[in-house]
Amino acid sequence: MNCAWDAYINLVPHRFRTQVDKLGKDTLQELRLRLGRPPELVLTEASVWLKETVSRDDMDFTINVASRYSPWTATSAAYGYITAQGGHRVGICGEFNANEGRLLSVRTVTSVSLRVAREFPGICKDLKDLFGSTLILGAPGYGKTTLLRDVIRQISDHRSGAIAVVDERQEIFPMTGGEFCFWPGARTDVLTGCLKAYGVEIVLRTMTPRMIAVDEITAQEDCMALLRAGSCGVTLLATVHAIDKNDLKRKPIYRPLMDHCLFENLVILRADKSWTLERMKI
């Protein structure tokens, strides 16, 4: 297990750092800061509450560090979160400015969720010889990105052909100081800083990949871009928010993927981070 822990602990307000470092370095999944209430450490086996209460200064500190002191212009803030250095995700709740239901900017932050980005090399070594396009399913917090990261690495290190990763907000393979925090694999090329749909088109034209990998298909544009890539003979690897195959089929956004039988394999994650492999019936 590896983690950019120093980058994570820098996000934590100073007065909580010693306790968070002691209690959570190896097992912390997320730290929740709620204005006027005690911080909550969500560990692998339990939750622990600290005695102090979170202040406005604590909130401002975390948001400023996460966004490198430009919180209201951070590209991902309008999605309700910021990707901090080390790939750690800072979820934001509070008062937003919106237009026709679409978030535009953050006005006041009242809750923050600091999710730890960890890697577990070798957790899916059994998938390195899997052929065909693969879709990873799981509910939020089940570890889809963690599993995706290792699948990419296993295939990249053990099979020929380039893998192009469209990492929209540096969550799969984050960088610090111009270097990857997690090993991406010997044959992996990473594109970051642009929308997934646009990024898929770019790597398809410029990198001649054998496989394209993306995290969290959340928009119709993502599905259309993957369909175009699949029609060009590229193998695909992606994650979606779905509990199982039936849940996947019920969601309209994924219907084009199902109708075109784009994915041959389903990797279904459980809450305990274990997974099962199923073949998609055509």
Side-chain angles (χ1 to χ4, degrees):
M1 176 187 69
N2 299 315
C3 169
W5 183 251
D6 288 344
Y8 183 86
I9 207 69
N10 283 339
L11 297 167
V12 180
H14 291 279
R15 63 198 186 101
F16 305 139
R17 282 187 185 178
T18 300
Q19 296 176 81
V20 171
D21 187 49
K22 180 179 178 180
L23 296 170
K25 188 171 186 177
D26 296 323
T27 62
L28 183 66
Q29 296 183 351
E30 62 182 333
L31 171 65
R32 290 189 172 269
L33 303 177
R34 300 177 176 98
L35 190 63
R37 286 167 283 176
E40 179 187 10
L41 282 71
V42 181
L43 309 175
T44 303
E45 300 293 338
S47 289
V48 175
W49 298 84
L50 303 185
K51 293 181 179 180
E52 301 91 340
T53 57
V54 176
S55 68
R56 172 59 57 197
D57 287 344
D58 295 326
M59 289 289 190
D60 291 344
F61 174 86
T62 294
I63 297 299
N64 284 332
V65 174
S67 64
R68 299 174 181 85
Y69 291 86
S70 183
W72 316 134
T73 58
T75 56
S76 58
Y79 292 90
Y81 66 91
I82 298 170
T83 302
Q85 287 193 336
H88 308 294
R89 179 181 285 195
V90 181
I92 302 168
C93 215
E95 185 181 6
F96 281 69
N97 292 313
N99 182 25
E100 296 181 352
R102 182 178 178 84
L103 301 181
L104 299 177
S105 62
V106 186
R107 183 178 297 169
T108 304
V109 177
T110 56
S111 295
V112 169
S113 170
L114 301 174
R115 289 174 56 182
V116 183
R118 300 185 188 273
E119 66 167 354
F120 296 82
I123 57 173
C124 59
K125 59 183 178 181
D126 295 339
L127 297 177
K128 68 179 185 294
D129 297 321
L130 186 65
F131 286 90
S133 294
T134 301
L135 194 61
I136 299 173
L137 280 61
Y142 275 30
K144 294 185 295 298
T145 304
T146 302
L147 189 68
L148 174 68
R149 185 181 297 124
D150 198 55
V151 174
I152 293 169
R153 184 169 39 227
Q154 293 292 329
I155 294 175
S156 178
D157 284 343
H158 293 95
R159 284 159 54 181
S160 62
I163 300 178
V165 179
V166 180
D167 193 2
E168 187 173 341
R169 289 174 286 274
Q170 284 197 26
E171 293 184 279
I172 309 172
F173 295 110
M175 299 183 71
T176 298
E179 297 184 358
F180 288 112
C181 298
F182 306 133
W183 170 243
R187 301 176 181 87
T188 303
D189 304 302
V190 182
L191 173 67
T192 189
C194 66
L195 296 174
K196 282 189 285 288
Y198 185 52
V200 168
E201 302 286 350
I202 291 175
V203 297
L204 186 62
R205 291 196 305 265
T206 63
M207 299 305 295
T208 59
R210 180 178 57 80
M211 173 181 283
I212 294 177
V214 300
D215 194 15
E216 293 190 5
I217 303 172
T218 57
Q220 202 71 43
E221 294 81 1
D222 301 341
C223 295
M224 295 301 104
L226 292 177
L227 284 171
R228 287 191 290 272
S231 69
C232 295
V234 178
T235 302
L236 303 170
L237 178 61
T239 70
V240 298
H241 289 298
I243 297 174
D244 53 29
K245 187 188 299 184
N246 291 330
D247 189 31
L248 179 70
K249 291 179 178 179
R250 283 194 293 265
K251 297 186 176 182
I253 189 174
Y254 304 131
R255 189 164 296 137
L257 306 180
M258 307 295 288
D259 290 345
H260 289 81
C261 303
L262 190 61
F263 291 94
E264 294 99 318
N265 310 299
L266 295 180
V267 176
I268 303 173
L269 276 160
R270 304 187 186 95
D272 63 0
K273 306 298 190 289
S274 64
W275 53 268
T276 57
L277 174 65
E278 292 186 16
R279 293 287 295 180
M280 178 70 81
K281 295 181 179 179
I282 300 176

